[in-house]
Amino acid sequence: MIYLEIFISFFQIGLFSFGGGYAALPLIEVQVLEVHNWLTMGEFADLLTISQMTPGPIAINAATFVGTKVAGLPGAVIATIGCVTPSFIIILTLSYFYFKYKNLSSIQGILKGLRPAVVSLIASAGLSILMLTIFKTEGTSLFNMKLSDINIIAIIMVAISVFILRRFKPDPIKVMIGTGVIGILIYGIF
Amino acid sequence: MEKNIKFYWKLFLSTFTLSAFTLGGGYVIVPLMRKKFVEELKWIDEEEMLNIVAISQSAPGMIAVNASIMTGYRLAGVLGAIIATFGTVLPPLIIITIIAKFYTAFKENRYINALLLGMRAGVAAVIIDVIIKMSRNVIKTKNSISIGIMIVALIASVILDINAALIIILCGVFGGFYYNIVKKAGEDQ
């Protein structure tokens, strides 16, 4: 029963991927390349390229990609459902307790301690994306950056976008579409 | 807030568009969610948004999906959670299904690459904007413990490269210990 196999594989990926994003990668690799021979190594590399270029969590992208390949559209849907089912059960349970007890002072203390940390984690993720945007070589970090590698156009686009966001407070999605269109004009045509 | 068809449709549409624009990893959805649900629709406040993100990050699974489930649940119970989950998984499901069919053409298309390269700049700008606002809100409280946690967590994440879930758990434990035991003991004296 291929659908059940797909469901169980992606259920495990959803259940054990702690820390999100690339944490799911080794789990996907084990399930898709080793336990089942659903993809070749080359196809797996393509999956990673596509995931980096498209929106959405990498595990969902993998679920859809593998599901489609193995069992068509129903396969994609079942893999995706398998992938989010563990999250759904766990988060609903946590939500139930959180919204019931969040006003307890002991819980308030914990939440007060972790809120500033979340701001920093968002900043850290933002920094990685900024590095990816303004340096031409992928994988540039604070520790190995080269000034000659800077993409001036990207810096100007980021700076102008930040200015517009702060000054005029538009819908951020409009800003992203705007920089996308400018990207086509600058990188695609010239 | 009235829970009619219009409300559920808006919840679906919001999570759908947010997910469709979550380029470059799970955390990107957080600033977008904040902008949509906190600033624009005013369905939840900033503190609650941060709590939701912290819990989403500490649980297994994808942060974008987890945060959507929890926001949906907060707004409209289990039905809200189901609708928010649908909204979040549908864009990647649709996009990858199409791309899986034409992926070599997609990978090599220079206009698509240029579009994505340009959009990255927009994504980076949106995150910078939100970080400025959020960190300013923490600094405005003039609570030296909160500001200290923010700085230590930033160093732990950016320079020491410590796992995000571990940072959250440690800061939660510290908060629980400090605000419930140390501070209470100080007030009692």
Side-chain angles (χ1 to χ4, degrees), chain B residues 160-179:
Chain B
L160 305 176
D161 204 18
I162 295 173
N163 182 289
L166 188 64
I167 294 175
I168 294 220
I169 291 167
L170 290 177
C171 291
V173 169
F174 174 79
F177 177 75
Y178 178 79
Y179 290 110

Side-chain angles (χ1 to χ4, degrees), chain B residues 89-150:
Chain B
V89 300
L90 227 42
L93 188 68
I94 295 169
I95 293 169
I96 300 290
T97 307
I98 296 168
I99 290 175
K101 290 205 179 356
F102 316 98
Y103 70 95
T104 24
F106 177 83
K107 215 171 52 181
E108 279 148 23
N109 187 298
R110 69 182 282 209
Y111 297 107
I112 288 176
N113 276 299
L115 170 78
L116 293 165
L117 210 57
M119 280 178 80
R120 254 186 217 169
V123 173
V126 170
I127 298 187
I128 291 172
D129 173 47
V130 167
I131 294 164
I132 294 173
K133 278 184 213 149
M134 289 179 118
S135 54
R136 200 185 267 168
N137 285 344
V138 174
I139 293 165
K140 256 196 251 163
T141 62
K142 296 204 171 97
N143 177 336
S144 52
I145 299 294
S146 293
I147 298 169
I149 291 175
M150 190 166 79

